[in-house]
Amino acid sequence: MLTVVSKKKEAKKAINVMYTQQFIHFPRTVKKKTLDSLLKTIRERLEPIKYAAIIHDKDMSEDDSTKLVEKHVHVVMQFKSQRSLTNLAKLLEEPNGSMFEAWKGDVNNAYSYLVHQTTDAKDKFQYEPEIVKANFDYIELLNSITKTVVAKSGSHDSQVIKDTLDLLGAGAITKKEAEDNLTGAQYARARPQIENVYKRYLEQEAEKWRINKKESGDSITVIWLFGPAGSSKTRLAKHFAESFEKPYFFSGSSNDAYQGYEGENIVIWDDIRPNKKIQYDDLLRMLDPFGLEKMAPSRYQDKQLMVDTFIITSIYNPLQFYQQIFGDMFFTKQDSFEQLNRRIKVTCKIDKESYELVRYEPTLRDYIVIPDTKKRNTLIEDAISPADDGLDIYNELTDFAPIITQEKDNVDDDPEYDPFASFVDYNGTAEVRGGDNHGYNQPNHQPRY
């Protein structure tokens, strides 16, 4: 019987989040019913990179314009990577998870909404920007947003571009948000400036990262996952990367492995193979646990790396990878392989049945299994086989056609008969690649209060 494994429903995630709650219903983790106490708890438990918050105590009821709504707070939070709204609620011990909402438009609209300076909120009470509490200069951001809106509606493209570049250089908006903020003509003019400003911003962030590393003494972690095609190496790498709830960069097998890298602290280097795309010396420099001046070779310009954790997947273990590069010269370059081996903190062997940790044994010139580390490979069970996938597509394609009942002695009595054999790839395996695109571009929305 052909079994189709259903995909698990994914939790809603967002980078930009609005939290709204009445004072009388603050979660129990907030010691006092004050905005300062709430923000202290949010900083400690949720760790947003940016936040701004306000008390709304003069909003009128939509049902009765003579009555005030219950006193409540709005907190806009930005995270470095997508966070599960359900998990945020759990961390704050907020029993009503719907109080966390993904902000679906430009995050600057969320910041403007705090004081009701948006088009949809212009008829509501206008709060003073000075009462907003934030971990950045909120008034300066609001002024920049206002200037941009005025310039867009009227006159000067150069002012729109300038304000957008200022926000980008300060890290208040992402590169994509900067690009989306401009019209087509403005973007054509500003594109080189956007690249230069963003490059400078990443250089400043890299310098902060290096200072942090030096002060903390933390080394870089390198994890090497190896095994045959179709053994869920990529799925395991992504599963581990997502557990950090930090941004991660997925480097595939393109000619430019670090194209699109934008300062992520976690890097998945998928399906690494011994070729000329990255030189061995460059590989050693990038994986050096204490080498903080890291540059990744890229097609147009080298990228400054700020990587805390490298997760490498390959069909080769590190020794096989090295042997593929140097061939017969391997035994004369044993010290050079040790340089690679010393950089790898975790080496994991994966097959379709299990995972297990291994370590390199120099006397054997081979890897040996670390006892009591073998675990069942459960991720592969979530994958849909080519036959399953093919059946779904085939049924959709031919849903208009009636089913023809096969003669029993032609099919059921033949144990070799496989109607989906043609869906299996050339080596009889199916490798899971890529990932879901969780991005979206939806119109702005208003919170419930």
Side-chain angles (χ1 to χ4, degrees), residues 31-47:
K31 302 302 181 186
K32 299 178 182 178
K33 293 190 184 301
T34 65
L35 183 57
D36 285 338
S37 183
L38 173 64
L39 291 178
K40 181 176 184 292
T41 307
I42 285 175
R43 285 194 301 270
E44 292 173 351
R45 289 176 171 258
L46 308 187
E47 299 180 337

Side-chain angles (χ1 to χ4, degrees), residues 317-375:
N317 67 38
L319 180 63
Q320 292 167 336
F321 178 86
Y322 184 82
Q323 288 172 322
Q324 289 288 324
I325 295 175
F326 294 104
D328 294 339
M329 298 176 62
F330 163 71
F331 293 109
T332 64
K333 291 180 170 286
Q334 179 73 7
D335 289 343
S336 185
F337 169 69
E338 289 297 338
Q339 292 182 53
L340 173 61
N341 187 53
R342 284 196 300 269
R343 285 161 167 75
I344 300 170
K345 184 170 287 186
V346 174
T347 307
C348 179
K349 177 184 176 183
I350 303 174
D351 59 34
K352 294 182 180 182
E353 301 296 328
S354 62
Y355 322 120
E356 52 189 343
L357 287 179
V358 298
R359 65 176 177 82
Y360 180 66
E361 177 51 58
T363 58
L364 300 175
R365 288 179 175 164
D366 201 356
Y367 284 86
I368 61 173
V369 173
I370 297 176
D372 302 321
T373 62
K374 192 168 188 176
K375 295 185 177 181

Side-chain angles (χ1 to χ4, degrees), residues 236-254:
L236 181 60
K238 288 183 175 181
H239 177 78
F240 184 65
E242 288 168 0
S243 70
F244 287 91
E245 292 200 335
K246 296 173 68 175
Y248 73 86
F249 174 72
F250 186 86
S251 174
S253 55
S254 68

Side-chain angles (χ1 to χ4, degrees), residues 108-118 126-130 132 136-150 163 167 172:
N108 286 334
N109 289 329
Y111 287 123
S112 299
Y113 180 81
L114 294 179
V115 290
H116 288 159
Q117 288 192 18
T118 61
Q126 301 293 295
Y127 292 93
E128 294 297 326
E130 287 77 13
V132 173
F136 60 94
D137 192 331
Y138 175 78
I139 294 176
E140 180 182 349
L141 173 64
L142 197 64
N143 289 337
S144 296
I145 295 169
T146 303
K147 288 178 184 177
T148 301
V149 171
V150 171
D163 291 338
L167 291 171

Side-chain angles (χ1 to χ4, degrees), residues 191-232:
R191 184 177 178 180
Q193 295 167 279
I194 289 174
E195 296 297 331
N196 290 335
V197 169
Y198 193 62
K199 179 184 176 185
R200 181 170 176 271
Y201 168 73
L202 289 180
E203 287 171 350
Q204 292 171 337
E205 290 299 297
E207 181 59 26
K208 292 177 187 175
W209 177 83
R210 284 192 286 270
I211 291 171
N212 240 0
K213 281 289 181 186
K214 287 177 182 177
E215 290 178 351
S216 66
D218 292 339
S219 64
I220 293 155
T221 298
V222 180
I223 299 167
W224 192 293
L225 311 177
F226 72 93
S231 57
S232 77

